[in-house]
Amino acid sequence: QVQLVESGGGLVQPGGSLRLSCVASGFTSRFYVIAWFRQAPGKEREGVACANNIDGQIYYVDSVKGRLTISRDNAKNTAYLQMNSLKPEDTAVYYCAARARPYLSCSGHSDAYAYWGQGTQVTVSS
């Protein structure tokens, strides 16, 4: 069955870096939109970044532009989120998600995604 497994979260000081990984199994992820979301305590889940292998489009929420980078390794069925210059407000559980069918477009709405990982905690604190 379809499975997404995130890893790479942890505790980091402000200004530090982390790289999150999302390994997909049970489907050929290169044909699917993969996105990263995050959810902080007491807040709604927020779309952070999205990458569409089909049309090459990459999208970021304004608050992370220039600091977070999404990438994909199709040979490894893996997506990454490189996080630099981290801020305390980046603290959240980060999730990767895939759309239900191939050849769809990126969306910033969580209900557009059918498959979710279990999440990985990122804490930015001194």
Side-chain angles (χ1 to χ4, degrees):
Q1 74 272 18
V2 172
Q3 191 173 17
L4 301 172
V5 179
E6 303 99 334
S7 63
L11 173 65
V12 63
Q13 293 187 342
S17 298
L18 285 173
R19 189 176 81 154
L20 307 184
S21 299
C22 170
V23 179
S25 60
F27 69 113
T28 305
S29 66
R30 71 169 67 96
F31 301 118
Y32 289 72
V33 162
I34 298 289
W36 286 94
F37 285 77
R38 66 185 179 186
Q39 189 165 20
K43 294 188 176 181
E44 293 186 355
R45 193 166 294 191
E46 173 188 39
V48 173
C50 182
N52 187 340
N53 277 346
I54 302 303
D55 62 10
Q57 294 296 314
I58 294 179
Y59 299 94
Y60 298 98
V61 69
D62 286 345
S63 60
V64 307
K65 286 180 180 178
R67 300 188 300 116
L68 274 58
T69 303
I70 187 172
S71 62
R72 300 177 63 170
D73 185 334
N74 293 329
K76 296 182 179 180
N77 236 19
T78 300
Y80 302 97
L81 187 66
Q82 178 66 43
M83 310 170 70
N84 298 329
S85 302
L86 284 164
K87 304 175 181 180
E89 52 263 43
D90 295 317
T91 295
V93 178
Y94 284 72
Y95 301 89
C96 66
R99 297 209 63 183
R101 299 187 308 278
Y103 307 111
L104 297 178
S105 299
C106 277
S107 172
H109 299 287
S110 60
D111 57 7
Y113 294 82
Y115 306 111
W116 291 85
Q118 81 288 353
T120 186
Q121 176 70 47
V122 172
T123 302
V124 185
S125 175
S126 55

